[in-house]
Amino acid sequence: MHSRSVNLAAQKGLLAVPFVLHSQPTAAYDEGGDVLTKMMAPAANRRYAEIMHDIEDLKGTHGRSKLKLLIPSVGMFFTPLLLEDAFKFQDQRRKISSRRFVPPSFNDIRLILNTAQIMSLVRSGPLGLVTFDGDVTLYDDGQSLTDDNPVIGRILRLLSNGSKVGIVTAAGYTDASRYHERLHGLLEAVKIAEGHGDISNPILVVMGGESNYLFTYNGSKEFLLEYVPRATWMLEEMKLWTNKGVIALLDVAEAALRECVANLDLSAEVLRKERAVGIIPAGGLNTPKFTREQLEETVLVTQQIVEMSPAAMNIPFCAFNGGNDVFVDIGDKSYGVMSIQRYLGGIEGSKTLHVGDQFLSAGANDFKVYLRLQVILGTAVDVI
């Protein structure tokens, strides 16, 4: 299913009915067309709002969701989603009800869902933890979070209001300098704000390799990050992932990736890490980019082969398309976020929000978070 998920597709289908019934595509040719157009928007607005209200009732919270019975792939709802209010807000901005030829789109519904989530969280009290994906969410794919990024000011505001912030990225490094290289704009801004007294005791953490390496902000360190030993933050389930099992799973994944490289004649090399394995362009910047189809085929083939292997029985993994590479990581982003929750004192799901851009059920590393936590779909610039 596409990244916008079954949930968005279902809502788009429901909203298509009043659009067909109330839109006036021939108003320009009919007598009294102006009157028809003026009548159309209020009627469509009323029906759209009623549908959003009905979906709101279906969602429920804490697993008591009629919608989940109808669409099993829908994740858990920790707070009520104020869809009717969110629709009315977005309709004022986007004039969804006034459109005669373009029905409510995936993007409209994504923004309505995001707005509903934010409204609910704001009304229920301060956020305990906000986590962000890295590439494409905080910064462009393969780039860094530079000091001119507008997201930085918003993150500083979250920190100053007492919210804890985590960055959960696929980039898997054991060296703090590599994360400083990618996040230097934010880290330096936090240090400056702390020095000026704008922020007191900021809690900012970085989870790398999806759920494998944790660093916490420390303004006294050279690269402003301090490594946190895995034993201090791992979930109980993660302690059962033996080194032998990890190696076995990565061996299967590596063989699958090599098979894809050969079958698709990719100009790629295999990169094996401690907790991940992937393919990257063989010639660096001089190599043509992989096509989307090549990346998706590699993800799906590799995922299927690993899922069917005995090695995957006891160790979860994620296979994803990183933009111009494909990687298989031990664990997934949901374990990363839940580990941060545990490390920071047991922050509840209802007080946690994850912001990510990839929600493809196959080939995207934010999808597993969608199944377990509250999420916002889109870039951080869109959201905050």
Side-chain angles (χ1 to χ4, degrees):
M1 186 65 189
H2 199 273
S3 61
R4 300 174 175 98
S5 85
V6 177
N7 189 13
L8 273 71
Q11 294 188 44
K12 182 175 182 291
L14 290 172
L15 294 178
V17 175
F19 174 79
V20 171
L21 293 176
H22 295 288
S23 65
Q24 299 291 338
T26 62
Y29 312 108
D30 292 340
E31 289 186 21
D34 291 343
V35 175
L36 289 173
T37 301
K38 290 178 181 178
M39 292 172 59
M40 175 198 75
N45 177 280
R46 184 178 65 255
R47 287 296 296 124
Y48 290 153
E50 288 172 353
I51 288 172
M52 286 299 176
H53 179 80
D54 291 340
I55 297 173
E56 194 174 312
D57 287 343
L58 284 174
K59 284 183 181 295
T61 56
H62 299 288
R64 299 185 295 273
S65 171
K66 296 179 184 177
L67 188 64
K68 193 166 182 64
L69 296 175
L70 298 171
I71 308 175
S73 61
V74 168
M76 183 177 293
F77 300 100
F78 291 89
T79 58
L81 284 184
L82 306 176
L83 292 171
E84 183 178 3
D85 290 348
F87 165 74
K88 291 176 179 177
F89 174 80
Q90 287 295 342
D91 195 40
Q92 290 177 345
R93 301 181 65 188
R94 301 173 68 82
K95 301 300 179 185
I96 300 168
S97 301
S98 299
R99 300 201 302 242
R100 292 186 292 153
F101 291 93
V102 180
S105 66
F106 279 120
N107 200 41
D108 292 327
I109 298 167
R110 177 180 66 85
L111 290 170
I112 291 168
L113 284 169
N114 288 351
T115 303
Q117 184 72 82
I118 291 170
M119 284 180 168
S120 178
L121 289 167
V122 168
R123 294 181 189 181
S124 64
L127 274 170
L129 171 66
V130 183
T131 60
F132 298 89
D133 178 41
D135 288 74
V136 184
T137 300
L138 287 177
Y139 42 82
D140 291 336
D141 185 36
Q143 302 302 308
S144 300
L145 188 53
T146 55
D147 56 10
D148 59 349
N149 192 309
V151 166
I152 292 175
R154 311 292 177 83
I155 293 178
L156 292 178
R157 185 174 177 182
L158 286 171
L159 291 169
S160 66
N161 289 337
S163 295
K164 302 171 177 64
V165 173
I167 297 171
V168 188
T169 173
Y173 310 129
T174 57
D175 186 351
S177 65
R178 300 295 302 276
Y179 289 111
H180 183 273
E181 182 181 328
R182 300 296 297 273
L183 304 170
H184 60 87
L186 174 61
L187 294 171
E188 297 293 344
V190 173
K191 183 177 181 179
I192 292 171
E194 189 179 22
H196 290 166
D198 298 329
I199 299 175
S200 177
N201 299 318
I203 298 180
L204 170 67
V205 299
V206 179
M207 178 66 77
E210 308 291 15
S211 58
N212 289 294
Y213 309 101
L214 183 65
F215 291 79
T216 186
Y217 170 80
N218 186 333
S220 66
K221 296 291 184 180
E222 179 182 4
F223 297 108
L224 306 181
L225 290 170
E226 182 176 4
Y227 177 73
V228 181
R230 191 175 291 140
T232 64
W233 53 262
M234 280 196 306
L235 303 172
E236 291 302 315
E237 178 183 348
M238 297 170 73
K239 295 176 182 179
L240 302 177
W241 305 350
T242 65
N243 287 334
K244 181 179 179 181
V246 167
I247 292 171
L249 189 143
L250 293 178
D251 286 345
V252 174
E254 180 176 343
L257 288 167
R258 291 187 183 279
E259 179 182 323
C260 289
V261 170
N263 291 342
L264 299 176
D265 195 23
L266 301 177
S267 178
E269 62 183 62
V270 175
L271 178 62
R272 178 75 175 253
K273 299 182 178 182
E274 178 198 16
R275 311 277 288 187
V277 62
I279 60 168
I280 59 176
L285 297 177
N286 297 322
T287 303
K289 291 193 68 173
F290 300 131
T291 66
R292 187 187 70 177
E293 292 78 10
Q294 289 173 327
L295 293 168
E296 291 183 356
E297 175 71 9
T298 303
V299 167
L300 292 170
V301 168
T302 302
Q303 180 171 288
Q304 183 185 56
I305 291 175
V306 177
E307 282 179 344
M308 295 174 62
S309 71
M313 292 180 61
N314 299 315
I315 297 182
F317 72 96
C318 59
F320 60 92
N321 163 7
N324 198 34
D325 55 39
V326 172
F327 269 87
V328 175
D329 279 14
I330 299 298
D332 59 56
K333 199 158 288 186
S334 69
Y335 285 99
V337 176
M338 290 189 294
S339 295
I340 292 174
Q341 289 175 311
R342 178 182 183 275
Y343 175 70
L344 296 178
I347 299 174
E348 297 177 357
S350 61
K351 296 294 183 181
T352 302
L353 179 68
H354 178 70
V355 181
D357 66 283
Q358 296 191 42
F359 290 91
L360 213 66
S361 58
N365 49 8
D366 290 301
F367 179 75
K368 298 289 180 66
V369 191
Y370 167 73
L371 295 178
R372 300 195 190 200
L373 296 166
Q374 299 176 126
V375 298
I376 293 291
L377 294 76
T379 69
V381 173
D382 290 337
V383 176
I384 65 169

